[in-house]
Amino acid sequence: EDQVTQSPEALRLQEGESSSLNCSYTVSGLRGLFWYRQDPGKGPEFLFTLYSAGEEKEKERLKATLTKKESFLHITAPKPEDSATYLCAGQGGSEKLVFGKGTKLTVNP
Amino acid sequence: DVKVTQSSRYLVKRTGEKVFLECVQDMDHENMFWYRQDPGLGLRLIYFSYDVKMKEKGDIPEGYSVSREKKERFSLILESASTNQTSMYLCASSTTSGSAYNEQFFGPGTRLTVL
């Protein structure tokens, strides 16, 4: 059975304190690894898609990387507005995505 | 700009009522999805549709049905609402995986409370 596991469940950082979120996956025939950001009470907002091991993508203070077993979302010098829940999802042999339970990030000023 | 809209942000219903949640996308996407999201359980797929009038069960279809009469519209139906269906409901759409870009785009969500 395909599975996506995110760690940690929650992370508190001080403003400017860089860190990484982890997404481990066992998805048969991975065709894409997706990262989303979700603010409280809202729908997830698409951030990145990674298709193959070694691929990296960046957007402002966020950088996503992919290996054959896991993906990382690196946050450089975070700001309070980066506080959100970050979701990771894998796509295997169908149109469906398998989601992790998310990492809740809090950045204190 | 891509857009997925849901008919209500907040909804309060009584046990036993029939409930309709509607979702519309303007991106001409083939695939549409209904999820529910609960604390500690994450996003769980209820149903999805890969074409008009086509549907496939997700992980938790019990107590739900769906309808897709037009490509842009996907409805979730709670035949007889129960308190354990109180949740955040999220609709999403995507193009087919044959495309280079296959990410799902989400609507704002409907917070349903069943009393």
Side-chain angles (χ1 to χ4, degrees):
Chain A
E1 184 182 337
D2 294 341
Q3 201 164 7
V4 172
T5 303
Q6 292 187 246
S7 62
E9 290 185 15
L11 180 63
R12 283 186 176 273
L13 300 173
Q14 287 299 123
E15 185 171 1
E17 180 187 0
S18 301
S19 188
S20 296
L21 313 183
N22 178 264
C23 171
S24 298
Y25 65 89
T26 51
V27 176
S28 180
L30 185 82
R31 290 189 287 169
L33 190 293
F34 302 84
W35 282 97
Y36 289 84
R37 170 193 169 123
Q38 187 175 25
D39 293 305
K42 297 187 176 181
E45 174 190 348
F46 170 72
L47 292 173
F48 303 109
T49 309
L50 301 166
Y51 292 103
S52 57
E55 190 175 0
E56 298 183 353
K57 287 194 177 171
E58 287 188 65
K59 181 179 180 178
E60 296 181 359
R61 295 175 292 282
L62 301 177
K63 182 168 82 172
T65 62
L66 182 65
T67 73
K68 288 188 177 179
K69 292 185 178 180
E70 51 195 351
S71 178
F72 294 94
L73 185 65
H74 306 277
I75 305 175
T76 303
K79 298 182 177 182
E81 54 261 41
D82 294 321
S83 297
T85 295
Y86 291 86
L87 300 172
C88 168
Q91 181 183 22
S94 77
E95 304 296 330
K96 297 185 286 187
L97 298 184
V98 178
F99 280 88
K101 293 184 178 179
T103 293
K104 183 177 181 180
L105 174 67
T106 304
V107 182
N108 296 314
Chain B
D1 201 15
V2 298
K3 196 102 178 183
V4 179
T5 57
Q6 295 184 228
S7 51
S8 305
R9 291 301 312 275
Y10 300 94
L11 209 53
V12 180
K13 295 292 182 181
R14 297 236 173 247
T15 302
E17 280 193 78
K18 192 169 186 176
V19 181
F20 293 86
L21 303 182
E22 302 235 306
C23 174
V24 177
Q25 52 97 1
D26 67 357
M27 295 165 283
D28 201 35
H29 282 169
E30 293 81 8
N31 303 322
M32 295 188 75
F33 306 82
W34 275 107
Y35 296 88
R36 64 177 284 177
Q37 187 174 35
D38 302 286
L41 297 178
L43 277 163
R44 293 182 290 167
L45 182 65
I46 305 170
Y47 267 98
F48 77 99
S49 167
Y50 49 91
D51 201 351
V52 175
K53 297 191 185 295
M54 306 302 287
K55 62 186 179 185
E56 196 166 313
K57 292 180 181 179
D59 301 317
I60 51 164
E62 297 78 18
Y64 303 94
S65 62
V66 290
S67 172
R68 193 168 181 201
E69 296 296 319
K70 293 185 177 182
K71 189 175 184 180
E72 68 271 17
R73 190 179 296 269
F74 192 35
S75 300
L76 179 70
I77 303 151
L78 286 66
E79 296 290 342
S80 177
S82 64
T83 54
N84 63 13
Q85 293 178 309
T86 292
S87 186
M88 169 71 105
Y89 289 87
L90 290 159
C91 175
S93 72
S94 73
T95 188
T96 59
S97 55
S99 166
Y101 303 101
N102 189 226
E103 54 270 16
Q104 291 184 16
F105 293 94
F106 284 82
T110 295
R111 173 78 62 185
L112 173 67
T113 301
V114 183
L115 301 175

